[in-house]
Amino acid sequence: MAPIRLAIVGLGKIARDQHLGAIEATDGVNLVAVASRNAQLEGVHCFHDIADLLASDVGIDAVSLCTPPQGRFAQANAALDAGKHVMLEKPPGASLSEVYALEALAKAKGLTLFSTWHSRAAAAVEPARALLVRRKIKSVSVEWKEDVRHWHPGQAWIWEPGGLGVFDPGINALSIVTRILPEPFHLVRSDLTFPANRAAPIAASLAFEMVSGTPVSAEFDWRQTGPQTWDIRVETEEGPVVLTHGGSRLIVDGEPQIVEEDREYRNLYRDFVSLVRSGTSDTDFSPLVHVADAFMLGRRIQTEEFED
Ligand code: NAP
C-alpha cells in the first residue's frame, strides 16, 4: 500500500519537538510538505499557509494540524473539503460545536478525522485501564502542575480565548482519566484563577463525581517551578494505582510496573496510518467536554498579573 503523503500545517514547537521525528520513524507515512507562515523545512515543499498548499499541484493525502486551536476549524474544514484526511493536535478545536461539525463533515466525505490525545498514547494508560476495570475505586486525584514559562515561552495565543490557559496541559490529564476510569464522571465544582491581565486561567481546582458518586479531584497549576508534577492517583480497595510522569510510569500497590521511553507521538502516527487504511475516524471529544464544563461552571478568582 502506498504511504500516506502528509503535510504539516504550523511548524512550531510541537511540530519540531515531536511530529517530525515521529513521522520519520513511522512506516506508511511520508512528510512531503509544510505550510507555515514564518518557517520552512529543508527537503520538502514549503507553503505560506494551508490555502496555498491546497491550491498547489503537490500531491498530498492528509494534513496534520499543529497550529493553535483558534483557527484550526477553518484549516480542517478546508482540508476535508479538498478531500484530505486530517489529524488534529490536542485540543481538537476552540469550541465543542466546531469539532462536532468537523466530525460530521469527515463522515459525510468518507475521510479520516483523528482527534489526537498524545497523553493517552503514553505507556501506562492502557495497562491502568485494564487494571481498573477489575478494582473497586474509592477516589481519584489528579495533580498537573508545571512551569508555563518553560513549556510555553512567548505563546500569546495560549492566553487568549480558545487558548485554554492551564487547561492546555490540564486537558492531557483529562484525556487519560477519561480513558482509564470504567465509569463516566461529571463536573460538580470549578474554581478558575485568572491573572488580572489575561483572558485564560493560570490555575484550576476541579471536583468531579463518577456516576457511582466516587470523587475525582483535579488541581492544575502553571506556576510550579522546579520539579514538575503530572500525576494521577487512584485509590482502590485493593491498593493505590498511580500514574506519574504524564502517564509514562505506573506504580501498582507501591510497586513500579512500567517505565518506558516516550513513544507517544510514534504511537499516534501508527494509529493515524491504520485509521486511514481502514477508512475510519477516531473522534473522542470527551476531554474537551470536561474543559467546556469547567468554563461553564467556573467561579472566577482574580490573581496578580502574569508576564512572560
Ligand atoms: P507554537 O509553538 O505557537 O506553534 C504553532 C505554530 O502554528 C506557529 O509556529 C505558527 O507557525 C502556526 N500558526 C498558525 N496560525 C497561528 C496563530 N494564529 N497564532 C500562532 N501560531 C499560528 O505552538 P505549539 O506549542 O507547537 O502548540 C501547537 C498545538 O500543539 C497546540 O494545540 C498545543 O496544545 C499542542 N501541543 C503543544 C505541546 C508543547 O509542548 N508545546 C505539546 C503537545 C501538544 P507560523 O507562524 O509559521 O504559521
Side-chain angles (χ1 to χ4, degrees):
M1 208 174 254
I4 298 163
R5 298 166 300 171
L6 181 80
I8 281 184
V9 181
L11 191 61
K13 186 171 188 319
I14 198 60
R16 291 186 188 278
D17 285 0
Q18 295 286 352
H19 288 253
L20 296 179
I23 295 164
E24 183 72 35
T26 306
D27 288 336
V29 57
N30 289 340
L31 185 68
V32 297
V34 157
S36 210
R37 300 161 309 176
N38 299 294
Q40 302 221 321
L41 188 68
E42 237 176 75
V44 301
H45 299 279
C46 292
F47 298 92
H48 179 260
D49 54 33
I50 192 166
D52 289 356
L53 166 72
L54 295 173
S56 80
D57 55 10
V58 170
I60 59 163
D61 307 302
V63 297
S64 181
L65 301 184
C66 302
T67 46
Q70 308 101 320
R72 187 109 43 75
F73 172 79
Q75 297 155 354
N77 191 16
L80 291 168
D81 200 43
K84 313 302 176 193
H85 306 290
V86 173
M87 177 161 159
L88 300 169
E89 249 299 350
K90 49 65 52 173
S95 75
L96 291 176
S97 46
E98 71 180 47
V99 297
Y100 285 112
L102 289 179
E103 182 183 48
L105 186 60
K107 194 170 177 198
K109 291 259 180 189
L111 294 164
T112 292
L113 180 66
F114 184 18
S115 173
T116 66
W117 301 106
H118 67 88
S119 293
R120 256 191 203 174
V125 174
E126 290 309 313
R129 174 183 164 90
L131 188 65
L132 290 172
V133 172
R134 305 194 300 271
R135 290 192 169 203
K136 175 90 179 87
I137 298 172
K138 296 196 291 186
S139 67
V140 182
S141 57
V142 178
E143 244 195 303
W144 223 255
K145 296 180 177 172
E146 61 176 51
D147 181 355
V148 62
R149 290 190 173 87
H150 179 80
W151 298 104
H152 300 283
Q155 290 183 347
W157 62 265
I158 215 159
W159 292 104
E160 293 300 317
L164 298 191
V166 76
F167 287 98
D168 177 85
I171 203 169
N172 297 334
L174 292 169
S175 76
I176 296 177
V177 179
T178 47
R179 181 74 190 154
I180 63 174
L181 295 187
E183 273 179 46
F185 57 93
H186 63 277
L187 189 74
V188 293
R189 179 186 57 79
S190 167
D191 293 331
L192 307 178
T193 303
F194 287 74
N197 59 339
R198 301 287 180 168
I202 197 165
S205 174
L206 310 174
F208 303 88
E209 279 177 12
M210 290 166 64
V211 173
S212 56
T214 305
V216 178
S217 68
E219 299 295 327
F220 303 152
D221 205 314
W222 247 351
R223 297 166 292 191
Q224 178 143 310
T225 53
Q228 308 284 280
T229 310
W230 297 293
D231 296 345
I232 297 167
R233 186 176 178 90
V234 184
E235 299 293 348
T236 75
E237 282 182 0
E238 297 83 358
V241 176
V242 184
L243 291 90
T244 67
H245 297 76
S248 61
R249 301 190 188 180
L250 181 65
I251 304 160
V252 179
D253 309 331
E255 293 292 324
Q257 307 275 311
I258 292 176
V259 179
E260 201 187 86
E261 60 156 331
D262 175 10
R263 297 182 57 86
E264 292 174 13
Y265 279 83
R266 278 173 284 172
N267 292 342
L268 292 181
Y269 276 100
R270 178 204 61 203
D271 292 349
F272 185 55
V273 169
S274 71
L275 287 169
V276 170
R277 285 189 176 158
S278 61
T280 50
S281 286
D282 181 346
T283 51
D284 176 7
F285 302 130
S286 57
L288 191 63
V289 170
H290 288 299
V291 170
D293 278 0
F295 279 97
M296 197 151 36
L297 291 187
R299 182 183 302 280
R300 187 188 172 103
I301 299 160
Q302 189 161 302
T303 190
E304 62 187 335
E305 295 195 352
F306 175 87
E307 301 300 343
D308 271 329

